[in-house]
Every structure is written in C-alpha cells, then in structure tokens.
Amino acid sequence: METSRYTLPLLLIATSFLLSSLSAQMTGNFKCGSPGSASNTTCRSLVGYSSKNATTYATIQTLFAVESLSSVLEANNLPLSTPRSQRVNPNQVVRVPIPCTCSNGTGVSTDVPVHTVRQGDTLSAIATELYGGLVSFQRISEMNKIPNPNEIDVGQRVWIPLPCSCDRVVNGRDVVHYAHVVKSGSSLGEIAAQFGTDNGTLAKINGISGDAELLAELPLDVPLRACNSSVRSDSLDASSMLLPNGSYSITANNCIRCSCQASNNWTLSCEPSQLKPTTWPTCPPSRCQGAESLLLGNTTSTSCGPRSCAYAGYSNQTILTTLSPDPCSGSGGSTPSGNYASTFSPSFSFVVVLIQCALFCVFLL
C-alpha cells in the first residue's frame, strides 16, 4: 500500500517522542553545577524528613549524622532550649541540614549519613521507611557499588547519598536547596505556593515539563529563597550564613544570632546572642564601622530612611560589621488545576504512550 512507505518514519518519530517523554521523568537526583549557575563545590543543603512513627529531634540528629542538635533546631526555627527528647509526631516534616558536594553535575550529601545494616534490613526498607523516601534503594545500591541490592550483610556500612544542590542563584536570587518528598495528589502549583516559588522554576530545575512528570514518593528540588546578607566572603562562617525564611543561626563562636524572616524585607537580621562564647573568653564588641555609636542590630535614622548596623562575619576574635546602604543614595507563578503527582511508574507511562502510537500507525495503514 502507498501509505506503508510512511510507517517506518512514523515509528521513528514515535520512538523519539517516547524517549523524550521518558527523559523528562523525575529521577530524584538534583542538578548541581549547572552551566551558567553560581555553584560552589560544597555547601549546606536541606532535606525534609518525616517518619511514619513518632520520633525525637535527637534521634533525627543521630540518623542524619548532624554534628549538633542546635543545627536541627535552628533550621526549624525552634528555641535552643528545646529538649533532645522533644517528640516529633508521625508524618511531621522536619528540616534537616546536610553537607552537600557537587560532582559530575549532580549533588549528593558529603559522605553522610551512614547506616549500619541490621538483621532484617533491606535497601528498600532503609530508603523508604528509615530515610522517608528521600533516596531510592537503586541510588543507594549504585553509589555504594552493591552488585545485588537484594543482598546486603548484617554489619555492612552503607552510605545514604541524599539529594542536594549547591547552585546558589536561581532566577537572580540566592537560594537554599531543599529536598521535598512529593505526596500523592500534589501538583506543582500547590508545592510552589507552599514554598514561595513558581511552577516554571520547579519544573525547570527538576528537568520536567509539568505535572504530568511529577511523581509521588520521589524528592523534588525546591529552591528556598534566602535572605540577603552583608557577610563577607572571607568570613569564617560565610558558607553557613545563607539562611532561608523561618530559620536562624548562632555563629561567631556563639556570640551572634542571625535570623531570616520574609517580613524583614528578606534581609538577614543579626544581633548579639547573649550566650556564652564556646572558646573565646568573652564576646568582642560589635560596634559598627563608620558609626561607632551604633551597635550590631541597632538602627539610626536619616532624612531618607533608617540605616542599620549589619553583621559582616567574624575572624579570629573580631566581629565584623558594616552600615547598611544609605537610602539617600537610591540605592509569583500561576497555579494550574488538574494534573496531579502520579504514583504510576515511568514504565506504565511508556506502555500507555506506546499503545497510543501503535494505534495511530495502524490507523494510517
């Protein structure tokens, strides 16, 4: 038949379409060091952890090998007086800070956490139940070079390669990357609204086209907007002072408390912590350079508006400060409906599209 001459080209086009559809599926891996991005080799990232069972903040600290409980409390805007045994309810999401390293275009947690295999453990249970779906068992197997993911030994130490990214700037703004496990029934619009970003940004940095490729129970890279700061690049805490909304950090040897609140015009707010320094005899004075009568965290008025004494970092036993810019110098996405996060696997999508293409080719014949 005359139309049969078109069958092979159409099949080739259909195959190309299938491959492009599959390549857009979520993988759970985060891009890091993308071309044109301001990316550091290492950074601090965040993951959103939840457990089906009640737990404690101390248990979460141990599970993720976080150096201090205070780091977990700061990331969740909880007071330092929160007890280690404080209950975390089932399915309650806790933000956990992790060290991140960029390599070969992908970000993974730097050598932590590490799980020691116990009797009855499987990689699948470790990934989904112990670490809340933040990583797949296939990824654990791949990164630990485990030939057969169904065969692990009691006592074996397994690195849990959590997804992360150090691409600091997204859409011209500083961000902290956050691994959010997609819930069944979610949409990009809902997730974007929850975290103060937009659909297009979420789709772009995750390599998907929209809700059709949003898969439940996989981590999604969410860029959390960070507060602007005056911290110098040579400060000893420069790498840890990129803070998202609703978090704080105790820094400068316990002498300074900095917090990020969107209500403060997305500007990092710092003041003396009133805590005992960890190694220094006393906390050094924090007067502002250029306005010696102004202390860190204080504000003075000008004819054009207020100027504040901002934290600029620390070095040895010196607190660095700077005056905020002189005001006299002049110095949201749509939320589509429908199309929800799918619990179907990529293989199911492949079968559906293949059947459609086959029917199309038969029709032409």
Side-chain angles (χ1 to χ4, degrees), residues 99-118:
C100 180
T101 298
C102 293
S103 179
N104 299 320
T106 303
V108 291
S109 54
T110 312
D111 302 326
V112 292
V114 173
H115 174 73
T116 302
V117 177
R118 296 170 294 194

Side-chain angles (χ1 to χ4, degrees), residues 77-157:
N77 210 24
L78 295 170
L80 294 178
S81 58
T82 303
R84 298 178 58 82
S85 59
Q86 177 72 41
R87 175 187 169 94
V88 177
N89 294 323
N91 301 314
Q92 178 182 340
V93 179
V94 175
R95 294 185 180 185
V96 183
I98 61 170
C100 180
T101 298
C102 293
S103 179
N104 299 320
T106 303
V108 291
S109 54
T110 312
D111 302 326
V112 292
V114 173
H115 174 73
T116 302
V117 177
R118 296 170 294 194
Q119 188 68 41
D121 276 351
T122 64
L123 286 188
S124 178
I126 292 170
T128 59
E129 297 176 18
L130 191 59
Y131 285 94
L134 285 165
V135 63
S136 68
F137 77 87
Q138 295 95 333
R139 182 66 166 165
I140 297 176
S141 177
E142 173 194 353
M143 297 301 287
N144 286 273
K145 296 181 172 57
I146 298 175
N148 186 347
N150 296 315
E151 296 180 2
I152 53 176
D153 302 319
V154 174
Q156 182 177 350
R157 289 170 59 82

Side-chain angles (χ1 to χ4, degrees), residues 53-82:
N53 303 311
T55 184
T56 66
Y57 286 103
T59 301
I60 294 174
Q61 176 199 349
T62 302
L63 180 65
F64 287 88
V66 182
E67 289 187 3
S68 66
L69 179 65
S70 61
S71 295
V72 177
L73 299 178
E74 292 166 8
N76 292 276
N77 210 24
L78 295 170
L80 294 178
S81 58
T82 303

